Amino acid sequence: MESHESNEQTQGTARRALLGAAVLGAGGAVFGPPGAARAAETARSGGGLKSLPKPTIIGHRGTSGYRPEHTFGSYDLALDLGADVVEAGDLVPTKDGHLVCRHEPEIGGTTNVADHPEFAGRKTTKVLDGVPTTGWFTEDFTLAELKTLRAIERIPANRPHNTLYDGRWEIPTFEEVLKWQDEQTRKRGKQVWIYPETKHPTYFRKLGLGLEERVAKLLRKYGKDRRNSPVILQSFEPTSIQRLNKLVDNPLVVLLSGATSRPWDFVEAGDPRTVADLITPKGLREIAGYAQGIGPTLDLVIPKDADGRLTTPTTLVADAHKVGLILHPYTMRNENPFLPAEFRKGTGADAYGDAFGAFKTYFATGIDGVFTDNADTGLLAREDLVNG
């Protein structure tokens, strides 16, 4: 995508094209027989992306439909419920350069920082990717300070039952997640997969807290920087994925927001293209040169009308598959406000709608997987698909 791509990236393109072809040809393969030895063998021999069932059920921030997001409570439960992959986690840096798992660098909505009088003076307003944002930011805290905080439910109006668990878990670091992944793989007898995301990488690079190098260093430390490593990396900024492509061999995914939006690295660089340009056949071919997949918002797969009802599916799935890219759209949730209008039941903000009907409709488009806050619902929906 960038004119200054190096020979190293060109070589990576050929390697990734081969991987893309392998992914495209992958069927509904599942993990081999249980047992820690088998899991270790899978990690070494390379099942890679093609070892994942399809459609792949990805636990969004763990299982955030049932526990406060990006906590080991949420991650553990996602595995207990059967998620194929756990999105652990959204990576943001601390003041002293550690990577921690938070949905956003602003932590007022996901931790009890407001209850800590010693941190009252840290509350501030910053411009985050062009948006004035008020609160407390991870880059203003050391890791030791962040470890004194505890996670809380981010959307209590939709998930009042999750507030039961407020204050129970601390903020995990990415290094702790990598150790947890190994421990859970041994404990459960099958390879545990994770799907971390670099958050606001341009913003943090300007602060001298570049994310990609820190991610790569930790992946190398734990031997998880290879093509077949059970770690998929994602970002909303294509240049972050291009940077990672030069640093590690992991599977890479470009996240895509609404069609009229522009990735923030494009805004900063004066690149006029929008997401709509990236999902054209030409744009997808470019992405396939440095990544194995895309993570579009579900609306790019099936748009909604003015009433919030689903319309006709786009050609995105077929177009992406044509160039060897997998699609892992986001995010399926059980609660009414997050479902297409025709699948809602009643008006309760915390009430479940017909999530199974929505899953069935999205699966019918041929997507390769989906991020969901409710892994158990997604797995049952996949069973319906397979047995239907």
Side-chain angles (χ1 to χ4, degrees):
M1 184 175 293
E2 292 181 309
S3 58
H4 60 268
E5 290 173 355
S6 66
N7 289 333
E8 183 181 353
Q9 179 148 345
T10 303
Q11 293 164 3
T13 298
R15 166 174 52 75
R16 295 185 181 284
L18 288 173
L19 178 58
V23 170
L24 189 59
V30 295
F31 291 112
R38 176 63 181 173
E41 180 189 336
T42 299
R44 286 195 305 270
S45 65
L49 283 175
K50 60 184 177 180
S51 72
L52 293 170
K54 287 192 179 183
T56 305
I57 303 302
I58 304 155
H60 187 233
R61 306 175 201 164
T63 183
S64 46
Y66 310 119
R67 298 289 187 272
E69 64 191 31
H70 287 312
T71 60
F72 282 117
S74 184
Y75 298 159
D76 284 339
L77 185 58
L79 294 179
D80 292 343
L81 295 178
D84 303 312
V85 184
V86 180
E87 190 194 28
D90 293 337
L91 303 180
V92 292
T94 65
K95 183 178 183 179
D96 47 348
H98 295 277
L99 293 176
V100 295
C101 303
R102 286 292 84 193
H103 173 48
E104 290 289 337
E106 197 291 300
I107 55 173
T110 61
T111 74
N112 62 353
V113 65
D115 298 333
H116 284 249
E118 70 272 26
F119 297 137
R122 307 273 180 100
K123 189 174 185 180
T124 186
T125 298
K126 301 189 180 191
V127 179
L128 185 63
D129 292 2
V131 179
T133 306
T134 299
W136 292 263
F137 295 80
T138 59
E139 67 267 25
D140 296 331
F141 292 78
T142 64
L143 178 59
E145 289 173 332
L146 285 179
K147 283 294 188 179
T148 68
L149 307 180
R150 293 296 179 267
I152 63 172
E153 172 55 40
R154 184 177 62 89
I155 46 174
N158 303 111
R159 291 166 179 170
H161 293 96
N162 287 9
T163 61
L164 171 66
Y165 306 100
D166 283 358
R168 182 167 289 271
W169 293 290
E170 63 182 29
I171 297 173
T173 68
F174 185 44
E175 185 160 21
E176 288 169 345
V177 163
L178 292 172
K179 293 177 180 177
W180 166 86
Q181 180 186 21
D182 290 338
E183 291 165 0
Q184 294 298 317
T185 294
R186 288 191 296 270
K187 174 183 174 182
R188 297 172 188 269
K190 71 174 186 178
Q191 181 61 60
V192 168
W193 280 70
I194 60 172
Y195 210 138
E197 176 187 346
T198 57
K199 301 290 292 192
H200 306 288
T202 295
Y203 168 82
F204 284 119
R205 187 162 293 277
K206 281 188 164 185
L207 297 179
L209 292 167
L211 299 178
E212 296 85 2
E213 294 82 3
R214 286 173 166 82
V215 170
K217 182 178 180 181
L218 284 171
L219 290 177
R220 284 194 294 268
K221 177 179 178 180
Y222 288 90
K224 298 179 181 182
D225 59 334
R226 301 157 192 164
R227 183 186 66 182
N228 291 326
S229 295
V231 181
I232 308 167
L233 301 173
Q234 57 179 331
S235 182
F236 278 102
E237 295 189 16
T239 55
S240 182
I241 294 300
Q242 290 173 331
R243 193 180 296 272
L244 286 166
N245 185 43
K246 298 175 183 179
L247 295 169
V248 295
D249 287 338
N250 298 71
L252 303 173
V253 170
V254 175
L255 297 170
L256 300 167
S257 192
T260 60
S261 67
R262 289 168 69 199
W264 186 250
D265 52 339
F266 284 18
V267 175
E268 289 275 337
D271 187 330
R273 289 177 299 167
T274 64
V275 166
D277 296 307
L278 296 181
I279 59 175
T280 63
K282 178 183 177 183
L284 292 169
R285 280 195 303 272
E286 289 186 7
I287 290 174
Y290 58 86
Q292 285 66 60
I294 56 173
T297 174
L298 285 164
D299 288 348
L300 294 177
V301 177
I302 311 180
K304 297 189 186 81
D305 63 19
D307 296 322
R309 302 175 68 86
L310 295 179
T311 61
T312 304
T314 67
T315 61
L316 180 58
V317 174
D319 292 343
H321 284 168
K322 190 175 294 184
V323 296
L325 292 169
I326 61 168
L327 296 91
H328 290 160
Y330 65 91
T331 305
M332 272 297 303
R333 298 177 168 104
N334 287 356
E335 295 92 358
N336 273 322
F338 308 114
L339 290 168
E342 64 265 43
F343 296 108
R344 296 172 192 161
K345 293 184 176 180
T347 57
D350 62 334
Y352 283 6
D354 178 17
F356 289 118
F359 268 110
K360 180 179 180 180
T361 304
Y362 287 119
F363 283 164
T365 65
I367 57 177
D368 300 281
V370 68
F371 287 84
T372 176
D373 289 6
N374 310 86
D376 52 343
T377 309
L379 287 162
L380 287 171
R382 183 172 71 195
E383 282 186 25
D384 292 344
L385 177 71
V386 171
N387 298 327

